[in-house]
Amino acid sequence: MPSSTKAKRIGILTAGGDCPGINAAIRGVGKTAIYEYGMTVYGISSGFRGLVDNLYTELDEAQLSGILTLGGTILGTSRDKPFKGDPTVENKIPKLIKKNYMDLGLDALVVIGGNGTMKTAHKLSLEGLNIVGIPKTIDNDVWGTDVTFGFDSAVWIATEAIDRLHSTANSHKRIMVIELMGHHAGWLSLYAGVAGGGDVILLPEIDYDIELVTRNLERRAKSNKPYSIVVVAEGIKKPKGMSAAGYVSQSIREMTKLETRETILGYIQRGGTPTPMDRILSTRFGAKAVEMIAEGNYGIMVSKAGEHIIPVPLEEVGGKSKLVPADHPLIRKSRKMGISFGDRKM
Ligand code: F6P
């Protein structure tokens, strides 16, 4: 028998860039809501746009089945920001969202997204909507949670890509520069860079000196290291109009004459099936979100703290970003093993 709860009808939407594990989270929310609490679940399409344009469908058990391993989001997503835009129409969109939320008879809304989405979620909760956020992104930059789902999958994909660069780099005795996503954060490049045996790792959080990078690569070449792997985060400082990989590889070529090639991994990092760890995290986040709704605990985001899934107030999360601390233990240990971060520190 489903437990009794005041909330009977809930909505769920996914906003911002997609990542592996979103469908697993939708399934976690939906199955917990239906089986454990006897709620009705509405899937809202295309992020916040779906709440503006009334794009929704009831999610039943059949629609929640077979999606655990599926990449992307069955609901579709958009980067629409309801609180942004033409100042003359400002506040009309949030009001419309509120009206449509009430007309649909929703008791609560689960919002799956990254930093920007949590900021919007907080503003909507200030407008009186009962919101529970679930953090997702390959960037792992959402404040207030140890980790987001999508990150582990992206690290896995990026590491596999770096692994494959090693053999071709070795055959041709080349420098390989690979650019990874991550927005303004270097989590993905740090983790995949270390896991993939990168020799130089450039992160947005650490100021690098391109001359130090090139000297380091020359030194490696002279000491009979046949090739080098340079992992660069997309968010590093670079001249306008150039990609991070384009700038770094061009500089290496010009300053060292070493044969250099670049790879921009791109959206491959966001596609496909989630890793087992992401499936588990998504499922736990989804289930916890519904537990929070059942308890009437709104205006929060579910987050991972050690082994626990806990609520954190959206007001603490919105508008912040979790960057890699420059003295992160993995950076400190990697330096001791000879990995360069493009600065003078050892
Ligand atoms: O936030 C996820 C992310 O993939 C970032 O790593 C990247 O900078 C951005 O989204 C790309 O955004 P879009 O999907 O709008 O091209």
Side-chain angles (χ1 to χ4, degrees):
M1 275 292 284
S3 340
S4 78
T5 161
K6 278 192 204 134
K8 291 288 172 224
R9 288 156 80 92
I10 68 168
I12 177 165
L13 64 79
T14 57
D18 73 344
C19 71
I22 297 183
N23 287 322
I26 294 171
R27 174 180 173 273
V29 169
K31 289 202 170 189
T32 306
I34 295 169
Y35 295 149
E36 192 175 352
Y37 296 103
M39 297 172 182
T40 305
V41 182
Y42 289 93
I44 293 150
S45 303
S46 308
F48 293 106
R49 189 182 308 162
L51 264 182
V52 176
D53 296 339
N54 274 321
L55 309 170
Y56 60 85
T57 180
E58 188 183 331
L59 294 179
D60 59 20
E61 292 156 42
Q63 280 156 303
L64 295 166
S65 215
I67 63 169
L68 174 65
T69 59
L70 214 62
T73 160
I74 58 163
L75 297 175
T77 184
S78 70
R79 291 199 184 272
D80 288 14
K81 292 186 174 64
F83 291 88
K84 225 177 178 177
D86 183 347
T88 55
V89 294
E90 215 168 34
N91 288 328
K92 279 197 182 154
I93 302 281
K95 276 196 187 110
L96 189 55
I97 286 179
K98 190 172 177 182
K99 180 184 178 300
N100 291 340
Y101 169 98
M102 305 293 269
D103 289 351
L104 185 55
L106 293 182
D107 297 307
L109 178 67
V110 177
V111 171
I112 302 179
N115 276 323
T117 305
M118 292 309 140
K119 197 171 169 186
T120 302
H122 174 52
K123 288 183 178 170
L124 286 176
S125 76
L126 293 178
E127 295 282 325
L129 274 61
N130 293 331
I131 308 273
V132 173
I134 298 183
K136 64 100 196 99
T137 169
I138 63 164
D139 304 339
N140 194 32
D141 62 348
V142 178
W143 195 92
T145 182
D146 286 359
V147 68
T148 54
F149 68 78
F151 177 61
D152 187 61
S153 303
V155 169
W156 198 93
I157 296 163
T159 301
E160 213 227 341
I162 299 170
D163 288 350
R164 287 176 186 276
L165 287 179
H166 278 272
S167 60
T168 174
N170 194 12
S171 305
H172 291 266
K173 317 295 176 223
R174 283 173 173 161
I175 310 284
M176 288 292 187
V177 178
I178 179 166
E179 175 181 319
L180 302 180
M181 280 186 166
H183 204 217
H184 297 305
W187 294 105
L188 185 50
S189 294
L190 174 62
Y191 274 64
V194 173
D199 304 299
V200 177
I201 301 174
L202 303 183
L203 309 177
E205 294 88 346
I206 298 178
D207 272 339
Y208 68 97
D209 177 341
I210 195 68
E211 277 192 32
L212 289 180
V213 172
T214 54
R215 264 190 256 142
N216 179 293
L217 294 170
E218 270 176 328
R219 215 169 25 246
R220 282 178 56 81
K222 279 183 192 139
S223 62
N224 285 336
K225 300 274 186 302
Y227 69 94
S228 294
I229 303 286
V230 181
V231 179
V232 302
E234 65 174 353
I236 61 164
K237 279 202 194 94
K238 57 187 184 288
K240 227 176 168 190
M242 287 191 93
S243 66
Y247 169 63
V248 171
S249 57
Q250 183 180 305
S251 307
I252 296 168
R253 263 191 301 271
E254 286 174 2
M255 295 160 89
T256 68
K257 309 285 178 254
L258 293 168
E259 206 182 336
T260 306
R261 294 285 188 272
E262 71 248 22
T263 302
I264 299 178
L265 196 55
Y267 293 89
I268 288 166
Q269 291 159 99
R270 270 176 31 189
T273 195
T275 57
M277 292 310 277
D278 272 343
R279 293 177 199 182
I280 289 166
L281 186 59
S282 302
T283 302
R284 291 184 73 195
F285 276 172
K288 186 71 179 186
V290 180
E291 195 187 307
M292 294 295 95
I293 291 171
E295 288 175 10
N297 193 356
Y298 302 124
I300 56 108
M301 179 187 84
V302 295
S303 85
K304 186 160 188 287
E307 281 315 301
H308 302 282
I309 308 296
I310 58 159
V312 292
L314 277 172
E315 98 179 286
E316 282 180 21
V317 177
K320 291 186 197 149
S321 187
K322 186 186 72 180
L323 299 178
V324 180
D327 64 342
H328 189 284
L330 188 54
I331 296 178
R332 277 193 274 131
K333 283 293 164 209
S334 301
R335 287 186 193 280
K336 303 280 177 226
M337 294 177 195
I339 296 176
S340 162
F341 289 85
D343 58 357
R344 285 191 189 280
K345 283 201 192 126
M346 305 281 282

